[in-house]
Amino acid sequence: MDIRRASHPVIDPKVRRVGFFDQPEPESPHLPDTPPPDPVSSVIMPPPRLLSERTAAVPVPESRFRRHELDDQVPIGSYNPAQCVFRASPTASITSSSVGIIDGEFSEDCSGAGWFRGSELSFPDGGLDLPAVKPHEVLAENRYDDAVNVNNLRRVTEKKHETVKEVSPDTPSVSQPLKAKTTKAERRALQEAQRAAKAASKANGNSAVAESGKASPAKSKKQSSQKKDGPPVTSSVTIYKKSGNHPLEKERKKDPPPQRMQFDDQNRVEKAKRRALVNQTEARNRVEIFRHLPQYEHGNQLPNLESRLFQLDSMHPAVFKVGLRYIAGDISGVNARCTEMLRALQDAIIDYSTPPEKVLIRDLTAKINSYVSFISECRPLSISMGNAIRFVKSRIAKLPLSYTDTEAKTALCSDIDRFINEKIIIADKVIVGHAITKIRDGDVLLTYGLSCVVEMILLSAHDLGKKFRVVVVDSRPKFESQALLARLIAKGLSCMYTHINAVSYIMHEVTRVFLGASAVMSNGTVLSKIGTACIAMVAHEFRVPVLICCEAFKFHERVLLDSICCNELGDPDAVATVPGRMDINYLDNWTNKENLQLLNLMYDVTPSDYISVIVTDHGMIPPTSVPVIVREYGQEHYIT
Amino acid sequence: MPDVHILVNEFVNQLKKRKIEGSQATAKQTAELLRSVISQQRVPQTNQATALINAVRAVGEKLIAANPVELAVGNIARRVLHIIREEDLSLATAAIADLELSAVSDDEDDVERDDYPVLSAAAVAAAARSTLRPPSLQTLLEDAPISAAIPHTSSSGGDSEGKSRSVDKGSRGRKLKHDVIEAVNELIQDISTCYEQIAEQAVEHIHQNEVILTLGSSKTVLEFLCAAKEKKRSFKVFVAEGAPRYQGHLLAKELAARGLQTTVITDSAVFAMISRVNMVIVGAHAVMANGGVIAPVGLNMVALAAQRHAVPFVVLAGSHKLCPLYPHNPEVLLNELRSPSELLDFGEFSDCMDSASGGGSLHVVNPTFDYVPPKLVSLFITDTGGHNPSYMYRLIADYYSADDLVVKRRPVTGS
């Protein structure tokens, strides 16, 4: 591994980019080796073709890294440069394998709850880097110090790194060889040490600004790797400085690294249960291969929760309401869920007032964490919701300390408004504008499920006077598309309606397939409503182009290969009965038969080769360019 | 005669109203009906076979027209025609043999007849079929005028009968009818027991801890899986429910009752789950001569997903499902659209439709069948063993005579 690394001084471009990622402020250009047009905000969206060229133009070693991230995760854990890549963006903490980032941040209090938790398993140390806010920071420090004491060597390194922080251009030369020799465990210890060191330095009156926990390992590695070319060292230090100022609430962590909750892990499930507000009962007759996902009996916790409304004084009523609506299934659709959640958080922020003796930034983040954990107990968070939460928290973290409560609250509310407006509403309009160019007269467009963007596309194409027909494909158990169908017919479109099994029959006459998505992964796969993969597959087989319409805030660095690892289980009883068909009652009392299970999966993963184009607010891109969007624009939400 | 007409009309009505479900039931009833047609048919002194053939053909034509997509009807009609031709031929050859030879005992007969080319060819063909080995080139050539060999059971029965009786014109007429009816009886027997023969092969294909996916419900699949279960294999079954008829629920219930580990999934989850599946086992509605399958709707999707994940796609089909026709545009022409009420409640969208001024229109498409092209099928398991899709044409040639492929003057079954 070391050899591999040594033979590739290529890390530099990466590091440089890392640096640039770290730059929230436009000061970055003065770095000696950062390319001038760096600041993310100034990057203009190139047309799709250009974009892919850009990907191609990325230096080879870069793609090597990418591949490593994607393919072999286990080695990554000990492969520093790669890890450095991950740690690089302080806010995003790009661990390719983890959605969990999302909750990595809020999971302090809900470490039992976030289902879409990043699989930090492959990053035993990564988990430690995803700290949540700890109000009693000193306590945590002490704990870390204890941990650090384990090894004197670590102490030493800690010191070294502290000096590094004090801007000494030559320290990297010390830390680097050291690092080169370290084993994984040592490195992990080193990270802890650094974190503790930072904590100490900060506690020493380094302003109350919280440093990014991630920044430190990132920095140390950056330095070590940058060591290869002399000059940038200073720059990296500057970077560090900046990310240090950068008031992200990445703080020391409690002992357990927040892995994505695996529900086959008895201990953690127990722990989570004790903490949970929502007392869900385990469903019976569970499907063996989905043990790692939560499956609860549906419909019985709602009255219970409602009655507890007044006992849960820690919960803001708006959040509580949203949670209940999630449980009841009133809100479906990623955008709706995300918007509702943001609105609820907004309400909660408006009603928030900083308790005495507490700092708004930290206390509010803790609050948000507890809200989010409640929401995710009600229904597992989707990936886009995770992204939105990440945005909110980064905004909180970046509030100037000088702000009063009122100012901070107004700023946050307008930020949230802006997010909803820009990332969802305007993004949808842009997507409609792009996608509509792909609709011609005489087309037969197929759509599946209920995607509001697709609906907007169809309606506005109709308004433009284009002559086309729509095939609406529906599936069990919810038959969501019927609502879409009703709206389309009401607007005067001519429609065909069928079920998913008949898709091969209808595909002969279809000329375009428009599909929505719940999330787009950086390997180009699309996580979407169950059945989307089938539609895309059949369309691919019939040589019909498949267009995925998806806002860029649903893009995520994580990679997915199959639909098993990361999914959500719905109510199995919904499978047993068919609404309106009383004759289908073979599966009544299915729970009594111990060798009969019902599986109601919510999502599936469409392989990227079935997808012709992804229409996003940044333009139309091939699925291979998703990582580019994630890289170039992923930070945008958090930094700007 | 009149009662046959009544019977035929009744059956035609049932077919038209789609009251008869499933190709096995249809096949059986068709065979029974044709049997009574034959038994009631008065045969003239000469050309009895032609008379029978014409009678059967007339009825078969009606039945096929009643439900052109129920290919089993046509299959059975063709097989009965084939049986008549075979019986006639065997009687004729027996007659020749009897004329040339003095009376011989049954046992010696077979040996003796080897000297006669036509007879020996038939015997070889029968032997070849009974051992399930492809006929030799010689057999094929000599069989060519007959177009295919006789199902061995009927042929041997016919032969022995033919030999034991003296060749008297009058008795030969009764003889032919009798033989044909015997053979049809055997055909009916075959149809009702075919799934047992298929199920016997289950252990050869299912191993311990296998994960099997199926869609919808099929008696053959149920028996197949249960046969493997009875052989103490333990495996898991994913059952896709098969919208819009949800027969999968029924299958799942049966399987669970018989102690198999069963999981019901929605049809849309097929792609998600197939990566964890070792084998797809499904039933078919009909198997075409090119090896394509007319199957319950949704199976094309399953087959594509299976192909994507390199999962074997196994089709179980009794011999009555083998159709001698080559499909043309089968998705449309061999399909049937069912009532929209299975998808949408009646009146649910009527209010939207009323605003006809707005121009919105709604078509609900609810096809019954899917066509699975032969390239997606890994294996056919019939009651005569496992076969490749590319071999189906030859298997079919064993059961049907080329003269009968077109039952009526107009093209049959729209294909």
Side-chain angles (χ1 to χ4, degrees):
Chain A
M1 206 150 274
D2 287 341
I3 294 164
R4 223 186 334 171
R5 190 153 49 94
S7 64
H8 286 280
V10 286
I11 298 143
D12 306 337
K14 186 75 208 173
V15 168
R16 254 180 263 132
R17 247 181 337 94
V18 162
F20 130 60
F21 275 169
D22 265 353
Q23 301 307 319
E25 294 94 331
E27 285 132 82
S28 51
H30 74 70
L31 299 183
D33 54 342
T34 27
D38 257 353
V40 189
S41 45
S42 74
V43 176
I44 304 149
M45 176 58 194
R49 208 169 54 82
L50 248 175
L51 244 183
S52 48
E53 276 166 21
R54 280 179 63 124
T55 1
V58 166
V60 188
E62 214 281 319
S63 63
R64 261 182 58 100
F65 279 149
R66 288 281 161 190
R67 210 155 357 103
H68 276 292
E69 283 170 50
L70 305 187
D71 294 345
D72 46 0
Q73 304 195 332
V74 185
I76 283 176
S78 52
Y79 188 34
N80 283 324
Q83 216 169 356
C84 146
V85 171
F86 296 146
R87 304 283 168 262
S89 75
T91 42
S93 93
I94 306 176
T95 54
S96 62
S97 64
S98 69
V99 180
I101 301 148
I102 329 159
D103 6 19
E105 283 146 8
F106 63 75
S107 55
E108 191 78 326
D109 310 85
C110 64
S111 62
W115 319 147
F116 271 113
R117 188 145 298 158
S119 62
E120 300 288 337
L121 285 169
S122 52
F123 287 98
D125 46 352
L128 292 168
D129 295 327
L130 299 172
V133 176
K134 194 65 196 159
H136 309 294
E137 152 193 337
V138 188
L139 272 179
E141 256 166 54
N142 288 342
R143 206 180 303 170
Y144 269 100
D145 279 0
D146 290 343
V148 168
N149 268 330
V150 175
N151 193 334
N152 276 339
L153 172 75
R154 295 183 204 161
R155 269 294 181 203
V156 174
T157 55
E158 179 195 337
K159 288 284 177 256
K160 270 172 197 151
H161 282 271
E162 231 167 327
T163 33
V164 170
K165 269 168 252 147
E166 252 64 84
V167 191
S168 53
D170 50 343
T171 15
S173 59
V174 186
S175 70
Q176 205 273 332
L178 192 149
K179 225 181 75 64
K181 269 179 241 133
T182 48
T183 64
K184 193 166 156 185
E186 278 171 321
R187 249 176 281 121
R188 181 174 174 173
L190 187 115
Q191 284 177 351
E192 283 172 24
Q194 287 163 353
R195 216 171 298 118
K198 230 178 306 147
S201 69
K202 202 184 61 184
N204 291 344
N206 193 5
S207 86
V209 178
E211 288 169 340
S212 151
K214 253 163 251 153
S216 96
K219 176 220 66 182
S220 75
K221 279 170 199 140
K222 248 178 277 159
Q223 286 175 338
S224 58
S225 46
Q226 246 168 2
K227 214 249 129 189
K228 274 147 209 155
D229 54 346
V233 168
T234 31
S235 82
S236 82
V237 173
T238 353
I239 288 158
Y240 169 66
K241 275 288 175 193
K242 287 220 184 74
S243 56
N245 294 336
H246 187 262
L248 262 187
E249 291 290 321
K250 305 288 157 56
E251 264 309 85
R252 23 275 67 197
K253 288 284 314 184
K254 299 200 293 193
D255 10 359
Q259 298 171 342
R260 174 159 51 146
M261 183 71 171
Q262 299 291 330
F263 281 79
D264 41 0
D265 182 346
Q266 286 299 327
N267 289 338
R268 303 203 47 187
V269 172
E270 284 304 312
K271 253 187 231 166
K273 263 197 185 149
R274 258 179 275 130
R275 227 174 321 186
L277 294 172
V278 189
N279 290 319
Q280 308 246 35
T281 31
E282 280 262 314
R284 288 196 288 168
N285 292 16
R286 300 192 47 190
V287 183
E288 197 55 42
I289 60 169
F290 287 104
R291 286 270 167 202
H292 62 285
L293 299 175
Q295 182 161 39
Y296 296 125
E297 278 183 12
H298 286 247
N300 56 1
Q301 68 276 58
L302 200 53
N304 171 32
L305 261 182
E306 273 168 352
S307 63
R308 286 170 62 201
L309 172 59
F310 298 106
Q311 300 158 28
L312 300 171
D313 50 345
S314 65
M315 207 44 62
H316 190 274
V319 177
F320 196 78
K321 183 174 144 202
V322 166
L324 291 187
R325 288 179 68 194
Y326 283 166
I327 291 185
D330 289 357
I331 315 174
S332 61
V334 179
N335 287 358
R337 276 169 73 195
C338 198
T339 316
E340 291 293 328
M341 183 193 67
L342 285 174
R343 292 277 177 229
L345 290 182
Q346 206 175 17
D347 285 352
I349 288 173
I350 289 172
D351 292 345
Y352 172 84
S353 62
T354 319
E357 317 262 312
K358 285 196 175 164
V359 186
L360 176 130
I361 292 174
R362 255 170 249 145
D363 190 55
L364 186 55
T365 315
K367 274 269 193 239
I368 299 274
N369 281 342
S370 71
Y371 294 155
V372 169
S373 79
F374 170 77
I375 290 175
S376 73
E377 277 163 25
C378 293
R379 180 169 170 193
L381 298 176
S382 72
I383 283 178
S384 58
M385 288 163 76
N387 281 343
I389 293 164
R390 220 153 79 179
F391 166 79
V392 172
K393 287 207 258 176
S394 77
R395 297 311 305 175
I396 296 176
K398 269 184 269 173
L399 287 174
L401 283 168
S402 52
Y403 272 20
T404 64
D405 268 15
T406 332
E407 279 171 326
K409 275 152 58 178
T410 350
L412 283 178
C413 288
S414 71
D415 277 340
I416 291 177
D417 276 335
R418 194 163 52 87
F419 185 90
I420 294 175
N421 205 26
E422 274 178 20
K423 302 290 175 200
I424 301 178
I425 297 173
I426 296 183
D428 282 351
K429 285 183 185 148
V430 177
I431 291 175
V432 169
H434 285 305
I436 219 161
T437 60
K438 296 294 169 201
I439 300 179
R440 295 172 304 195
D441 279 353
D443 265 350
V444 180
L445 312 176
L446 184 142
T447 182
Y448 173 71
L450 180 59
S451 161
C452 50
V453 196
V454 173
E455 187 183 339
M456 286 162 68
I457 292 169
L458 297 177
L459 290 181
S460 54
H462 181 70
D463 289 344
L464 284 182
K466 300 202 178 188
K467 300 269 177 292
F468 60 94
R469 284 186 299 144
V470 182
V471 179
V472 179
V473 182
D474 209 343
S475 80
R476 289 256 295 145
K478 283 195 193 153
F479 297 113
E480 297 127 312
S481 308
Q482 291 186 3
L484 171 72
L485 182 68
R487 289 197 289 268
L488 292 182
I489 292 176
K491 294 275 181 183
L493 280 82
S494 52
C495 299
M496 290 170 95
Y497 177 79
T498 190
H499 56 95
I500 188 166
N501 276 342
V503 70
S504 341
Y505 174 85
I506 207 76
M507 197 58 84
H508 288 280
E509 45 188 298
V510 172
T511 55
R512 299 259 188 287
V513 176
F514 282 88
L515 297 171
S518 166
V520 177
M521 300 304 173
S522 73
N523 58 344
T525 55
V526 172
L527 186 77
S528 188
K529 176 185 149 66
I530 185 93
T532 306
C534 291
I535 305 277
M537 173 183 67
V538 175
H540 181 77
E541 185 66 22
F542 283 82
R543 310 283 185 271
V544 179
V546 178
L547 293 89
I548 301 280
C549 305
C550 178
E551 301 86 351
F553 83 100
K554 295 178 184 166
F555 284 30
H556 202 276
E557 313 82 14
R558 194 173 176 206
V559 290
L560 272 183
L561 282 178
D562 63 17
S563 320
I564 314 283
C565 296
C566 173
N567 213 320
E568 187 185 332
L569 299 178
D571 182 7
D573 284 322
V575 177
T577 54
V578 184
R581 297 282 296 277
M582 300 311 286
D583 50 323
I584 314 290
N585 53 2
Y586 312 112
L587 296 181
D588 294 350
N589 302 322
W590 62 277
T591 41
N592 297 335
K593 300 185 185 107
E594 63 183 26
N595 46 13
L596 179 63
Q597 294 112 24
L598 269 56
L599 178 64
N600 183 6
L601 275 182
M602 304 289 275
Y603 298 104
D604 68 6
V605 166
T606 309
S608 58
D609 49 344
Y610 291 156
I611 297 164
S612 318
V613 72
I614 299 178
V615 187
T616 78
D617 33 342
H618 296 307
M620 287 184 270
I621 57 166
T624 45
S625 295
V626 173
V628 181
I629 295 284
V630 172
R631 192 188 67 211
E632 299 286 329
Y633 296 90
Q635 291 68 30
E636 203 183 22
H637 324 170
Y638 322 113
I639 290 179
T640 57
Chain B
M1 249 349 231
D3 27 324
V4 175
H5 271 301
I6 293 169
L7 279 178
V8 168
N9 286 337
E10 216 170 85
F11 190 61
V12 163
N13 268 335
Q14 280 186 321
L15 281 177
K16 277 186 178 162
K17 291 176 182 166
R18 310 294 192 253
K19 292 278 188 202
I20 307 168
E21 294 258 314
S23 45
Q24 200 206 2
T26 321
K28 207 166 162 183
Q29 292 191 33
T30 312
E32 278 162 4
L33 180 74
L34 290 178
R35 184 179 59 188
S36 49
V37 167
I38 291 167
S39 64
Q40 304 256 344
Q41 177 70 33
R42 198 175 291 205
V43 284
Q45 282 300 308
T46 54
N47 253 350
Q48 301 144 339
T50 324
L52 281 183
I53 286 174
N54 286 338
V56 170
R57 184 177 274 203
V59 174
E61 200 174 320
K62 264 190 197 170
L63 297 184
I64 291 171
N67 187 354
V69 297
E70 187 50 274
L71 295 166
V73 175
N75 296 346
I76 295 303
R78 291 188 186 93
R79 282 186 71 170
V80 171
L81 289 173
H82 182 62
I83 286 170
I84 297 170
R85 288 175 202 276
E86 291 294 319
E87 294 298 336
D88 185 40
L89 184 82
S90 69
L91 277 184
T93 48
I96 297 163
D98 281 354
L99 284 178
E100 295 192 359
L101 289 176
S102 54
V104 281
S105 78
D106 287 357
D107 298 335
E108 292 159 331
D109 198 20
D110 282 342
V111 187
E112 297 274 337
R113 278 197 288 164
D114 280 354
D115 303 331
Y116 299 88
V118 181
L119 280 180
S120 71
V124 168
R129 235 182 355 275
S130 61
T131 55
L132 285 183
R133 119 184 102 78
S136 66
L137 180 63
Q138 189 207 5
T139 335
L140 286 174
L141 286 174
E142 309 225 46
D143 254 359
I146 321 169
S147 111
I150 333 144
H152 66 280
T153 44
S154 57
S155 75
S156 64
D159 282 356
S160 58
E161 295 274 356
K163 281 162 263 146
S164 58
R165 300 269 174 106
S166 67
V167 194
D168 153 48
K169 278 281 176 186
S171 71
R172 206 186 136 200
R174 257 177 285 123
K175 173 91 199 60
L176 176 68
K177 232 164 100 172
H178 179 260
D179 288 353
V180 167
I181 288 172
E182 290 261 297
V184 173
N185 277 337
E186 276 177 45
L187 174 66
I188 293 171
Q189 187 72 21
D190 274 359
I191 293 169
S192 44
T193 59
C194 72
Y195 61 83
E196 287 169 17
Q197 282 164 299
I198 294 173
E200 272 170 24
Q201 305 164 53
V203 269
E204 293 170 28
H205 297 281
I206 297 176
H207 63 72
Q208 191 76 13
N209 286 335
E210 190 132 41
V211 181
I212 289 166
L213 185 138
T214 184
L215 182 139
S217 179
S218 154
K219 170 118 173 133
T220 323
V221 172
L222 175 68
E223 293 297 329
F224 191 82
L225 296 178
C226 290
K229 167 72 183 166
E230 277 155 22
K231 294 285 181 344
K232 303 290 174 246
R233 297 278 153 84
S234 79
F235 52 94
K236 285 185 208 147
V237 186
F238 285 114
V239 182
E241 50 189 10
R245 303 187 59 203
Y246 306 107
Q247 295 285 302
H249 290 185
L250 187 61
L251 179 70
K253 191 183 171 190
E254 290 277 321
L255 288 174
R258 304 219 195 168
L260 272 165
Q261 202 50 244
T262 313
T263 306
V264 181
I265 61 173
T266 54
D267 300 314
S268 43
V270 163
F271 189 89
M273 297 310 297
I274 201 126
S275 58
R276 299 297 184 273
V277 166
N278 301 123
M279 189 171 12
V280 179
I281 298 181
V282 294
H285 173 69
V287 178
M288 307 308 289
N290 65 345
V293 183
I294 307 289
V297 69
L299 274 182
N300 188 43
M301 194 173 78
V302 177
L304 286 171
Q307 186 197 37
R308 160 94 187 179
H309 291 88
V311 177
F313 186 85
V314 177
V315 176
L316 309 183
S319 58
H320 59 275
K321 295 186 179 179
L322 304 183
C323 178
L325 304 173
Y326 284 84
H328 166 68
N329 198 3
E331 292 91 341
V332 179
L333 295 179
L334 290 181
N335 214 334
E336 189 167 50
L337 297 178
R338 293 170 66 92
S339 157
S341 67
E342 289 179 333
L343 297 185
L344 289 179
D345 281 343
F346 180 74
E348 202 170 337
F349 281 81
S350 52
D351 43 342
C352 314
M353 310 292 289
D354 281 343
S355 62
S357 49
S361 68
L362 173 63
H363 293 273
V364 178
V365 184
N366 184 13
T368 319
F369 302 118
D370 247 0
Y371 174 70
V372 182
K375 63 170 184 176
L376 297 180
V377 181
S378 316
L379 188 68
F380 283 103
I381 299 181
T382 70
D383 35 9
T384 57
H387 301 283
N388 246 9
S390 56
Y391 188 69
M392 294 319 280
Y393 83 97
R394 175 60 228 173
L395 207 62
I396 280 161
D398 283 350
Y399 293 116
Y400 304 99
S401 101
D403 304 340
D404 301 326
L405 292 191
V406 179
V407 173
K408 49 181 177 179
R409 305 292 166 264
R410 297 176 299 272
V412 193
T413 70
S415 63

